[in-house]
């Protein structure tokens, strides 16, 4: 079959031959047994309903074996025979250009050069899924190939519920992932529902079809590292940044450190993850000996090298070794997948990678105890380095949250001492270390409307990406001429970033780019793209963003951690964001439970939008992007965030139809008299 024929086939009429297990790929760890005997039968019934009855006898046995072997039913037999990657938009069968754009993005999310566990349909984060199984993939692609611009495809946690009549202005696809009832939103609930095949963890941009490889997080990490060094009044040159994790998102850290200009050490226990990042050029050197690591880091700091090192081993060993050898760490963080601590997101010290994976499945309670003990050791070492002047920040991966639950000393008492949650005062649960959003990204970027705007060249041509880089640079350089002082640093950082983007070789998978821009910048860049498409200078462009943004996500330990009016545990903003995007012109919208900080800890929304050069696309981009950003700036201004109040007043001056409720400030002296 050709690529188009296999897409249009959907579920095959004849049973495909079994697929060989590709040991060369990075596979998801086996999930722990979490279903009762009756629930296992229900999981099989749920899986078999995708297929005609004459397949059931063969597949029932096969799916039972998958459930026993992997803890999930992936339906490997039904993985397509064609290579999965982001083909040019013209290569996809279909009647809707918008639907073809979504197919392109799905393919990119599952490209083996992009996805963390491609055979298990997991893009990043250890469990961030595009689909739960290959039947869902096949049906979804078939629906997209068949749909017209007056239909909408409804996606429930990877399951294509079907095509519904709608209209040209409605989204082509509406996605939800993991939207469980709040009382059933604990991590163990996810394990059970996912094993049953009724819910999935979409992470952020995995289940939203908007992942662009680690480039997206490279930019955010670069901004964070640059401003982290600014915060401690030190140049990155000759400075040391220590962190861990080289998976889908966290793999961006060494590249970001190189762009920022420091020495970066990133520990990782999975040899395949290290190999991938080293082969891609995202990390310079690989070291597996602690003594040699000390020697190499000492040399690099002395010579002020720009260098990234992957240490193959446990991060705790590095913190403790650097403490022993008195190596000063300027910036410290962690980006392991601690939203998923009991299923491969974080590994205990003292075990090989293989030993830990075996313990995880066969002795999950012992594994959990070892992880908790490791977190406590990890934090003890961080606390020692912090006493010596290290600036440590939580990078939004639930590190502080899980360390707190493990009993680590990550809280402050009223004397400023670092203590466990048990020993913290009953009226103070404050973490001893800030989230990077609290200290850096929130007040410097999100409050002013700056967030991760991204685009993908649907033609797949590097030449188109170079043209978009030039267009974006021109727009930003024009905007900075008249921009106010409070946002000039943010503007200049992004001009520097986009000018160096080609040289930094950031593309993995689709021809994509990201930069931080406010509402005005996003609208003007997108409008310039649309005009270039209309004039025939550029192919179609797919717009999007990370959910890690100004208004897409309500996450009290990350995106909204610098909201101090007591509302950071509410999720109205994320829900309103997606509703508003859906009737202002988005090509597809998504809403998720879960993300980088964990199931039950965040609600996040995203969008995708196709620019085709039409007048209608020009209208949609202005309407939707203005809302998509200012919804969040308005919420932040109501929380009395100074930068957001400045930004929303500026937005109202620019758009007379925008009228936002502003807060009156209360003098503390009045409250003290009560």
């Amino acid at each position: 079959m050709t690529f188009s024929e296999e897409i249009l086939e959907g579920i095959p009429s004849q049973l495909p031959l079994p697929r060989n297990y590709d040991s060369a790929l990075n596979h998801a760890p086996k999930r722990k047994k979490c279903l009762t005997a009756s629930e296992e039968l229900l999981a099989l019934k749920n899986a078999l309903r995708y297929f005609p009855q004459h397949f059931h006898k063969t597949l029932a046995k096969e799916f039972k074996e998958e459930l026993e072997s992997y803890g999930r039913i992936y339906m490997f037999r039904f993985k397509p025979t064609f290579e999965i990657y982001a083909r040019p938009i013209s290569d996809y069968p279909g009647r809707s250009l918008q639907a073809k754009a979504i197919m392109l993005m799905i393919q990119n999310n599952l490209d083996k050069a992009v996805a963390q566990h491609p055979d298990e349909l997991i893009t990043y984060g250890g469990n961030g899924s595009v689909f739960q199984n290959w039947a869902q993939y096949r049906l979804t692609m078939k629906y997209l190939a068949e749909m017209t611009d007056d239909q909408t495809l409804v996606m429930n946690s990877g399951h294509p519920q079907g095509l519904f009549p709608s209209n040209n202005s409605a989204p082509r696809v509406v996605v939800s992932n993991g939207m469980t009832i709040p009382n059933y939103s604990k991590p163990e609930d996810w394990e059970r529902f996912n094993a049953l095949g009724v819910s999935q963890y979409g992470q952020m941009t995995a289940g939203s079809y908007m992942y662009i490889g680690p480039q997206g997080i490279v930019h955010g990490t670069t901004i964070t590292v640059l401003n982290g060094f600014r915060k401690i009044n030190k140049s990155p040159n000759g400075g040391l940044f220590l962190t861990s994790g080289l998976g889908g998102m966290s793999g961006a850290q060494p590249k970001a450190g190189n762009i920022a200009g420091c020495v970066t050490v990133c520990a990782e226990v999975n040899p395949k993850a290290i190999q991938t990042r080293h082969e891609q050029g995202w990390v310079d050197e690989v070291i597996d000996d602690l003594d040699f690591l000390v020697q190499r880091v000492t040399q690099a700091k002395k010579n002020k090298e720009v260098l990234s090192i992957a240490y193959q081993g446990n991060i705790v060993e590095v913190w403790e070794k650097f403490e022993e050898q008195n190596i000063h760490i300027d910036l410290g963080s962690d980006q392991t997948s601690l939203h998923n601590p009991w299923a491969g997101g974080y590994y205990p010290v003292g075990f090989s990678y293989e030993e830990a994976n075996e313990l995880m499945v066969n002795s999950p309670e012992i594994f959990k105890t070892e992880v908790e003990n490791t977190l406590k050791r990890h934090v003890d070492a961080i606390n020692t380095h912090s006493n010596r002047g290290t600036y440590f920040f939580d990078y939004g991966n639930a590190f502080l949250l899980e360390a707190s639950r493990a009993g680590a000393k990550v809280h402050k008492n009223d004397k400023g001492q670092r203590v466990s949650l048990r020993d913290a005062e009953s009226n103070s649960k404050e973490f001893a270390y800030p989230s990077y959003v609290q200290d850096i990204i929130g007040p410097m970027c999100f409050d002013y409307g700056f967030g991760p705007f991204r685009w993908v060249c649907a033609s797949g041509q590097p030449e188109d990406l170079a043209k978009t880089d030039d267009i974006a640079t021109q727009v930003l350089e024009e905007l900075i001429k008249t921009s106010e002082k409070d946002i000039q640093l943010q503007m200049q950082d992004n001009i520097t970033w986009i000018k160096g983007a080609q040289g930094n070789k950031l593309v993995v998978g689709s021809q994509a780019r990201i930069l931080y821009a406010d509402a005005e910048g996003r609208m003007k860049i997108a409008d310039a793209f649309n005009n270039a498409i209309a004039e025939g200078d550029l192919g179609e462009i797919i717009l999007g963003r990370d959910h890690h943004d100004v208004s897409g996500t309500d996450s009290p330990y990350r995106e909204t951690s610098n909201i101090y009016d007591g509302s950071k545990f509410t999720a109205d903003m994320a829900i309103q964001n997606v509703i508003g995007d859906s009737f202002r012109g988005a090509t597809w919208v998504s809403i998720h439970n879960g993300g980088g900080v964990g199931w039950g800890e965040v609600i996040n929304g995203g969008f995708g939008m196709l620019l085709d050069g039409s007048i209608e696309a020009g209208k949609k981009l202005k309407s939707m992007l203005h809302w998509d950003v200012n919804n969040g700036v308005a919420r932040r201004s109501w929380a009395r965030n100074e930068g957001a109040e400045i930004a929303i007043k500026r937005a109202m001056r620019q758009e007379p139809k925008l009228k936002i409720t502003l807060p009156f400030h209360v003098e503390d002296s009045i409250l003290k008299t009560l």
Side-chain angles (χ1 to χ4, degrees):
M1 282 189 181
T2 64
F3 168 69
S4 293
E5 287 171 342
E6 195 166 355
I7 290 290
L8 291 166
E9 180 187 39
I11 301 297
S13 56
Q14 294 185 340
L15 203 59
L17 294 173
R19 298 296 299 268
N20 292 326
Y21 187 82
D22 188 350
S23 58
L25 292 177
N26 190 12
H27 287 279
K30 180 181 178 181
R31 307 302 184 187
K32 66 182 180 182
K33 181 179 174 64
C34 60
L35 300 181
T36 64
S38 61
E39 286 174 334
E40 288 181 357
L41 294 178
L42 180 58
L44 291 172
K45 286 183 179 180
N46 289 343
L48 291 168
R49 61 184 160 177
Y50 284 102
F51 306 98
Q53 289 179 329
H54 60 275
F55 286 178
H56 286 185
K57 187 174 182 180
T58 300
L59 293 181
K61 181 180 178 182
E62 186 172 307
F63 291 168
K64 185 175 187 294
E65 290 173 355
E66 284 193 9
L67 190 59
E68 290 171 351
S69 299
Y70 311 116
R72 297 293 187 271
I73 299 172
Y74 297 115
M75 308 181 185
F76 291 124
R77 180 193 288 263
F78 292 93
K79 182 180 178 180
T81 59
F82 54 75
E83 187 177 352
I84 297 179
Y85 65 95
R87 290 169 168 78
I89 195 168
S90 57
D91 285 5
Y92 296 91
R95 297 185 286 175
S96 166
L97 190 65
Q98 294 179 53
K100 290 182 180 184
I102 299 168
M103 296 166 80
L104 184 157
M105 295 304 297
I106 288 173
Q107 292 287 97
N108 189 63
N109 270 30
L110 293 172
D111 183 342
K112 66 182 179 182
V114 174
Q116 185 181 15
H117 306 307
D119 270 8
E120 290 82 10
L121 303 115
I122 292 171
T123 302
Y124 66 94
N127 57 0
S129 302
V130 186
F131 302 100
Q132 296 179 64
N133 56 60
W134 286 104
Q136 291 177 346
Y137 167 87
R138 282 180 172 269
L139 277 174
T140 300
M141 296 294 279
K142 177 178 171 63
Y143 277 133
L144 289 169
E146 293 175 344
M147 78 185 307
T148 61
D149 283 341
D150 58 2
Q151 291 175 298
T152 293
L153 176 60
V154 176
M155 299 293 301
N156 293 340
S157 284
H159 168 66
Q161 186 157 299
L163 292 172
F164 290 79
S166 59
N167 59 72
N168 184 59
S169 297
R172 297 283 67 78
V173 178
V174 177
V175 179
S176 65
N177 282 295
M179 297 301 289
T180 56
I181 304 301
N183 279 349
Y184 304 91
S185 197
K186 298 182 291 298
E188 54 266 31
D189 293 322
W190 168 75
E191 293 280 359
R192 178 169 166 266
F193 296 144
N194 192 229
L196 284 171
V198 296
S199 193
Q200 75 171 9
Y201 196 92
Q203 262 280 352
M204 287 189 153
T205 50
S208 297
Y209 325 140
M210 190 41 73
Y211 189 62
I212 59 168
Q215 177 185 171
I217 194 65
V218 169
H219 180 262
T221 306
T222 301
I223 295 294
T224 300
V225 172
L226 282 172
N227 285 296
F229 277 105
R230 286 169 182 156
K231 192 167 183 65
I232 62 174
N233 297 313
K234 181 172 181 178
S235 167
N237 199 223
L240 174 61
F241 173 41
L242 175 61
T243 185
S244 53
L246 281 172
M249 295 291 279
S250 55
Q253 295 179 107
K255 172 68 84 170
N258 280 6
I259 296 171
C262 63
V263 177
T264 304
V265 175
C266 189
E268 170 61 57
V269 297
N270 184 348
K272 285 188 177 179
I274 291 177
Q275 180 184 354
T276 297
R277 295 303 172 218
H278 191 237
E279 289 175 351
Q280 291 174 340
W282 290 64
V283 61
D284 299 323
E285 298 178 11
V286 177
I287 295 174
D288 61 5
D289 178 83
L290 280 171
D291 290 324
F292 182 59
L293 178 67
V294 168
Q295 178 186 334
R296 186 69 184 93
V297 168
T298 302
Q299 177 189 43
K301 282 167 63 73
K302 180 181 178 181
N303 296 335
K304 295 187 175 182
E305 296 179 52
V306 176
L307 174 71
S308 57
I309 299 170
Y311 171 69
Q312 187 172 315
N314 197 288
I315 181 60
V316 177
E317 298 170 330
V318 184
W319 281 99
E320 292 177 344
K321 186 71 173 181
F322 284 7
E323 175 188 334
E324 175 193 309
Q325 296 296 314
N326 203 29
I327 292 181
H328 179 68
I329 301 163
D330 295 288
L331 303 184
S333 194
D334 180 89
Q335 209 178 354
T336 52
S337 296
L338 263 164
H339 68 277
N340 184 31
W342 322 126
Y346 183 89
Y347 281 80
V349 70
F351 297 85
S352 70
Y353 181 60
E354 293 75 19
E355 288 170 345
N357 279 330
E358 185 175 335
L359 189 69
M360 185 196 312
V361 175
N362 297 327
S363 304
E365 290 306 313
I366 296 176
F367 179 84
K368 182 177 180 180
T369 299
E370 292 294 341
V371 165
E372 290 174 335
N373 290 338
T374 299
L375 280 166
K376 285 186 277 193
R377 274 181 63 180
H378 196 162
V379 168
D380 285 345
I382 290 168
N383 288 342
T384 300
H385 281 278
S386 294
N387 291 336
R388 297 176 180 178
T390 296
Y391 173 64
F392 182 86
F393 56 89
D394 183 291
Y395 202 35
N397 64 329
F399 176 79
L400 292 179
L401 186 62
E402 290 301 334
S404 172
R405 290 168 176 168
K409 295 178 181 179
V410 291
H411 291 272
K412 284 193 298 190
N413 62 19
D414 57 5
K415 297 178 182 178
Q417 298 167 323
R418 299 183 188 94
V419 295
S420 67
L421 180 62
R422 183 189 60 190
D423 296 327
E425 285 69 25
S426 59
N427 63 343
S428 175
K429 308 300 182 193
E430 185 180 354
F431 285 125
Y433 298 101
S435 153
Y436 75 114
V437 173
Q438 285 177 288
D439 262 17
I440 299 172
I441 297 295
M444 294 193 65
C445 295
F446 289 172
D447 284 354
Y448 288 97
F450 283 83
F453 181 54
R454 57 177 63 172
W455 62 88
V456 174
C457 298
S459 67
Q461 297 300 313
E463 295 82 3
D464 272 2
L465 185 59
K467 290 176 185 176
T468 61
D469 286 344
D470 289 342
I471 291 170
T473 301
Q474 291 168 19
V475 170
L476 292 176
E477 288 184 330
E478 192 61 33
L479 283 173
I480 200 172
K481 292 177 184 177
T482 56
S483 65
E484 296 182 34
K485 187 176 180 180
D486 55 1
I487 60 171
Q488 287 209 342
L489 181 62
Q490 295 92 318
M491 298 280 286
Q492 188 55 58
D493 277 349
N494 281 286
I495 291 170
T496 301
W497 162 268
I498 197 72
K499 282 185 172 180
Q502 294 282 334
N504 286 320
K505 299 179 180 178
L506 299 162
V507 171
V508 177
S510 60
Q511 295 294 317
R513 186 68 73 226
I514 184 172
L515 57 77
Y516 269 39
D518 60 6
E520 182 182 21
R522 298 185 209 202
M523 288 187 288
K524 289 194 172 180
I525 291 170
D527 195 44
F529 289 167
N530 201 51
N531 291 336
I533 297 166
E535 292 168 7
D537 296 333
L538 193 63
E540 294 91 351
I541 298 292
I542 302 164
L543 300 182
R545 59 161 168 75
D546 194 346
H547 301 206
H548 172 61
D549 199 1
V550 178
S551 75
T553 296
D554 280 301
S555 178
Y557 297 107
R558 194 163 79 177
E559 284 78 3
T560 45
S561 61
N562 71 318
I563 300 291
Y564 300 110
D565 68 348
S567 70
K568 69 179 184 179
F569 293 98
T570 66
D572 301 279
M573 180 179 71
I575 299 298
Q576 293 283 11
N577 176 262
V578 169
I579 293 171
D581 284 356
S582 68
F583 63 75
R584 284 180 171 88
T587 304
W588 74 98
V589 292
S590 62
I591 188 76
H592 298 185
N593 168 19
V597 295
W599 180 274
E601 303 288 352
V602 53
I603 300 295
N604 59 79
F607 79 88
M609 173 180 272
L610 177 68
L611 299 182
D612 59 6
S614 66
I615 294 173
E616 185 65 20
K619 292 178 181 177
K620 287 180 176 180
L621 73 88
K622 293 184 179 73
S623 175
M624 202 215 70
L625 292 175
H626 185 274
W627 157 261
D628 190 67
V629 176
N630 284 311
N631 168 50
V633 179
R635 185 266 178 95
R636 292 168 185 277
S637 75
W638 185 242
R640 297 181 291 270
N641 290 18
E642 182 181 358
E645 288 190 66
I646 294 169
I648 205 64
K649 289 174 183 176
R650 181 159 52 224
M652 286 192 282
R653 290 195 299 270
Q654 293 171 341
E655 173 49 78
K657 292 180 183 179
L658 181 67
K659 298 183 185 298
I660 300 300
T661 307
L662 298 174
F664 292 99
H665 291 252
V666 182
E667 293 291 338
D668 288 342
S669 59
I670 293 176
L671 301 178
K672 288 177 181 178
T673 64
L674 298 177

